[in-house]
């Protein structure tokens, strides 16, 4: 989890868009070597205002980190529709 702390600066990640930020987050988790990740996107990204993007990104980030910390997950799948 310490390796993921640089991703806490959501503004940097969100500069690339919500979908790209979530994809980058899963890639960062994969690079730790702790778990395998899978990312899939169905459909097209819907434009959101920056506050909505931040809320969705932080929620997704918290879900991923809680899965690592508490569930001891070996694989994480993120499916966006």
């Amino acid at each position: 989890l310490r390796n993921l702390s640089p991703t806490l600066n959501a503004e940097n990640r969100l500069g690339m868009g919500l979908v790209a930020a979530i994809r980058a987050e899963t890639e960062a988790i994969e690079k730790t070597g702790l778990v395998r990740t899978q990312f899939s996107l169905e459909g097209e990204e819907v434009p959101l205002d920056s506050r909505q993007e931040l809320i969705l990104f932080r929620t997704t980030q918290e879900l991923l980190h809680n899965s690592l910390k508490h569930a001891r997950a070996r694989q994480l799948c993120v499916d966006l529709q």
Side-chain angles (χ1 to χ4, degrees):
L1 292 173
R2 252 182 250 122
N3 293 337
L4 299 175
S5 63
T7 66
L8 293 176
N9 187 353
E11 290 76 21
N12 288 340
R13 289 264 192 213
L14 288 172
M16 60 178 91
L18 179 61
V19 171
I22 293 172
R23 183 187 310 262
E25 191 74 9
T26 59
E27 289 171 357
I29 291 169
E30 177 89 24
K31 286 179 183 178
T32 67
L34 298 173
V35 296
R36 295 184 64 222
T37 63
Q38 178 182 344
F39 178 89
S40 67
L41 173 65
E42 181 181 318
E44 296 193 24
E45 189 170 1
V46 175
L48 301 170
D49 68 47
S50 60
R51 183 181 166 137
Q52 291 172 319
E53 284 190 349
L54 179 60
I55 291 168
L56 288 172
F57 179 73
R58 288 288 192 205
T59 302
T60 303
Q61 194 174 45
E62 186 70 16
L63 289 167
L64 292 170
H65 291 192
N66 283 345
S67 296
L68 291 172
K69 185 175 180 181
H70 301 295
R72 298 183 182 161
R74 296 184 188 266
Q75 182 172 355
L76 296 172
C77 299
V78 176
D79 300 317
L80 300 180
Q81 297 179 356

